[in-house]
Tab-separated table of all heavy atoms in Angstrom:
chain	number	residue	atom	x	y	z
D	894	LEU	N	-19.093	-20.608	-37.052
D	894	LEU	CA	-17.683	-20.904	-36.789
D	894	LEU	C	-17.190	-22.046	-37.674
D	894	LEU	O	-16.071	-21.994	-38.195
D	894	LEU	CB	-17.475	-21.255	-35.311
D	894	LEU	CG	-16.044	-21.653	-34.903
D	894	LEU	CD1	-15.059	-20.519	-35.185
D	894	LEU	CD2	-16.008	-22.042	-33.427
D	895	ASP	N	-18.013	-23.075	-37.872
D	895	ASP	CA	-17.591	-24.205	-38.708
D	895	ASP	C	-17.258	-23.751	-40.123
D	895	ASP	O	-16.321	-24.266	-40.752
D	895	ASP	CB	-18.694	-25.273	-38.762
D	895	ASP	CG	-18.759	-26.087	-37.472
D	895	ASP	OD1	-17.822	-25.969	-36.650
D	895	ASP	OD2	-19.747	-26.832	-37.291
D	896	VAL	N	-18.034	-22.805	-40.637
D	896	VAL	CA	-17.779	-22.285	-41.989
D	896	VAL	C	-16.454	-21.517	-42.008
D	896	VAL	O	-15.648	-21.663	-42.935
D	896	VAL	CB	-18.939	-21.383	-42.442
D	896	VAL	CG1	-18.607	-20.719	-43.789
D	896	VAL	CG2	-20.221	-22.194	-42.566
D	897	GLN	N	-16.217	-20.707	-40.976
D	897	GLN	CA	-14.949	-19.971	-40.904
D	897	GLN	C	-13.758	-20.921	-40.797
D	897	GLN	O	-12.721	-20.696	-41.430
D	897	GLN	CB	-14.974	-19.030	-39.698
D	897	GLN	CG	-15.911	-17.845	-39.852
D	897	GLN	CD	-15.836	-16.908	-38.659
D	897	GLN	OE1	-16.072	-17.326	-37.527
D	897	GLN	NE2	-15.513	-15.646	-38.908
D	898	LEU	N	-13.903	-21.988	-40.025
D	898	LEU	CA	-12.813	-22.964	-39.897
D	898	LEU	C	-12.533	-23.646	-41.224
D	898	LEU	O	-11.370	-23.909	-41.567
D	898	LEU	CB	-13.161	-24.000	-38.817
D	898	LEU	CG	-13.319	-23.466	-37.391
D	898	LEU	CD1	-13.663	-24.603	-36.427
D	898	LEU	CD2	-12.065	-22.745	-36.921
D	899	GLN	N	-13.579	-23.933	-41.978
D	899	GLN	CA	-13.386	-24.528	-43.304
D	899	GLN	C	-12.674	-23.552	-44.243
D	899	GLN	O	-11.814	-23.946	-45.037
D	899	GLN	CB	-14.732	-24.943	-43.887
D	899	GLN	CG	-15.358	-26.147	-43.184
D	899	GLN	CD	-16.756	-26.461	-43.680
D	899	GLN	OE1	-17.170	-25.976	-44.744
D	899	GLN	NE2	-17.490	-27.267	-42.934
D	900	ALA	N	-13.011	-22.258	-44.116
D	900	ALA	CA	-12.338	-21.245	-44.935
D	900	ALA	C	-10.851	-21.186	-44.589
D	900	ALA	O	-9.997	-21.068	-45.483
D	900	ALA	CB	-12.988	-19.879	-44.713
D	901	VAL	N	-10.526	-21.289	-43.303
D	901	VAL	CA	-9.123	-21.306	-42.886
D	901	VAL	C	-8.399	-22.490	-43.519
D	901	VAL	O	-7.278	-22.352	-44.017
D	901	VAL	CB	-9.017	-21.370	-41.342
D	901	VAL	CG1	-7.575	-21.639	-40.918
D	901	VAL	CG2	-9.504	-20.073	-40.724
D	902	GLN	N	-9.022	-23.642	-43.489
D	902	GLN	CA	-8.394	-24.833	-44.054
D	902	GLN	C	-8.175	-24.698	-45.561
D	902	GLN	O	-7.166	-25.172	-46.092
D	902	GLN	CB	-9.247	-26.070	-43.733
D	902	GLN	CG	-9.229	-26.429	-42.252
D	902	GLN	CD	-10.152	-27.583	-41.924
D	902	GLN	OE1	-11.275	-27.677	-42.436
D	902	GLN	NE2	-9.707	-28.469	-41.044
D	903	VAL	N	-9.118	-24.057	-46.227
D	903	VAL	CA	-8.951	-23.815	-47.669
D	903	VAL	C	-7.741	-22.924	-47.908
D	903	VAL	O	-6.917	-23.194	-48.796
D	903	VAL	CB	-10.225	-23.190	-48.272
D	903	VAL	CG1	-9.947	-22.723	-49.715
D	903	VAL	CG2	-11.372	-24.197	-48.263
D	904	PHE	N	-7.591	-21.866	-47.117
D	904	PHE	CA	-6.420	-20.992	-47.269
D	904	PHE	C	-5.126	-21.766	-46.998
D	904	PHE	O	-4.098	-21.515	-47.616
D	904	PHE	CB	-6.518	-19.787	-46.329
D	904	PHE	CG	-7.278	-18.628	-46.903
D	904	PHE	CD1	-8.438	-18.164	-46.290
D	904	PHE	CD2	-6.834	-17.998	-48.058
D	904	PHE	CE1	-9.133	-17.087	-46.828
D	904	PHE	CE2	-7.525	-16.926	-48.600
D	904	PHE	CZ	-8.686	-16.477	-47.988
D	905	GLY	N	-5.185	-22.717	-46.092
D	905	GLY	CA	-4.004	-23.526	-45.823
D	905	GLY	C	-3.617	-24.415	-46.988
D	905	GLY	O	-2.457	-24.838	-47.090
D	906	ASP	N	-4.585	-24.688	-47.867
D	906	ASP	CA	-4.326	-25.552	-49.027
D	906	ASP	C	-4.030	-24.771	-50.302
D	906	ASP	O	-3.814	-25.378	-51.364
D	906	ASP	CB	-5.537	-26.467	-49.274
D	906	ASP	CG	-5.715	-27.491	-48.159
D	906	ASP	OD1	-4.707	-27.844	-47.514
D	906	ASP	OD2	-6.861	-27.932	-47.934
D	907	ILE	N	-4.042	-23.450	-50.246
D	907	ILE	CA	-3.795	-22.624	-51.430
D	907	ILE	C	-2.438	-22.984	-52.050
D	907	ILE	O	-1.441	-23.166	-51.342
D	907	ILE	CB	-3.833	-21.122	-51.053
D	907	ILE	CG1	-5.269	-20.694	-50.740
D	907	ILE	CG2	-3.233	-20.246	-52.145
D	907	ILE	CD1	-6.221	-20.757	-51.908
D	908	GLN	N	-2.395	-23.045	-53.375
D	908	GLN	CA	-1.179	-23.467	-54.069
D	908	GLN	C	-0.435	-22.338	-54.772
D	908	GLN	O	0.788	-22.395	-54.914
D	908	GLN	CB	-1.530	-24.541	-55.114
D	908	GLN	CG	-2.126	-25.804	-54.519
D	908	GLN	CD	-1.151	-26.519	-53.606
D	908	GLN	OE1	0.016	-26.708	-53.955
D	908	GLN	NE2	-1.620	-26.930	-52.434
D	909	HIS	N	-1.137	-21.328	-55.216
D	909	HIS	CA	-0.512	-20.294	-56.051
D	909	HIS	C	-0.308	-18.977	-55.308
D	909	HIS	O	0.802	-18.446	-55.263
D	909	HIS	CB	-1.349	-20.055	-57.312
D	909	HIS	CG	-1.525	-21.280	-58.145
D	909	HIS	ND1	-0.485	-21.914	-58.797
D	909	HIS	CD2	-2.651	-22.011	-58.417
D	909	HIS	CE1	-0.946	-22.971	-59.446
D	909	HIS	NE2	-2.258	-23.051	-59.238
D	910	HIS	N	-1.351	-18.440	-54.739
D	910	HIS	CA	-1.294	-17.106	-54.138
D	910	HIS	C	-0.950	-17.231	-52.640
D	910	HIS	O	-1.777	-16.934	-51.764
D	910	HIS	CB	-2.615	-16.373	-54.370
D	910	HIS	CG	-2.944	-16.220	-55.819
D	910	HIS	ND1	-2.287	-15.312	-56.632
D	910	HIS	CD2	-3.838	-16.871	-56.617
D	910	HIS	CE1	-2.769	-15.402	-57.866
D	910	HIS	NE2	-3.705	-16.334	-57.881
D	911	LEU	N	0.266	-17.652	-52.383
D	911	LEU	CA	0.662	-17.963	-51.005
D	911	LEU	C	0.746	-16.710	-50.131
D	911	LEU	O	0.331	-16.726	-48.972
D	911	LEU	CB	2.007	-18.690	-51.015
D	911	LEU	CG	2.029	-20.015	-51.787
D	911	LEU	CD1	3.434	-20.613	-51.783
D	911	LEU	CD2	1.026	-21.006	-51.214
D	912	THR	N	1.291	-15.629	-50.683
D	912	THR	CA	1.405	-14.394	-49.903
D	912	THR	C	0.039	-13.853	-49.522
D	912	THR	O	-0.174	-13.392	-48.392
D	912	THR	CB	2.195	-13.330	-50.691
D	912	THR	OG1	3.502	-13.834	-50.979
D	912	THR	CG2	2.330	-12.043	-49.883
D	913	GLU	N	-0.898	-13.927	-50.446
D	913	GLU	CA	-2.265	-13.464	-50.162
D	913	GLU	C	-2.928	-14.369	-49.118
D	913	GLU	O	-3.623	-13.892	-48.212
D	913	GLU	CB	-3.097	-13.447	-51.443
D	913	GLU	CG	-4.560	-13.061	-51.264
D	913	GLU	CD	-4.753	-11.665	-50.695
D	913	GLU	OE1	-3.808	-10.854	-50.726
D	913	GLU	OE2	-5.874	-11.381	-50.215
D	914	ALA	N	-2.695	-15.673	-49.232
D	914	ALA	CA	-3.249	-16.598	-48.241
D	914	ALA	C	-2.695	-16.287	-46.855
D	914	ALA	O	-3.441	-16.269	-45.866
D	914	ALA	CB	-2.928	-18.041	-48.635
Side-chain angles (χ1 to χ4, degrees):
L894 177 60
D895 284 348
V896 174
Q897 289 183 302
L898 297 180
Q899 289 174 16
V901 170
Q902 291 176 319
V903 170
F904 273 119
D906 292 333
I907 289 295
Q908 298 297 313
H909 301 294
H910 301 286
L911 300 177
T912 300
E913 177 61 17

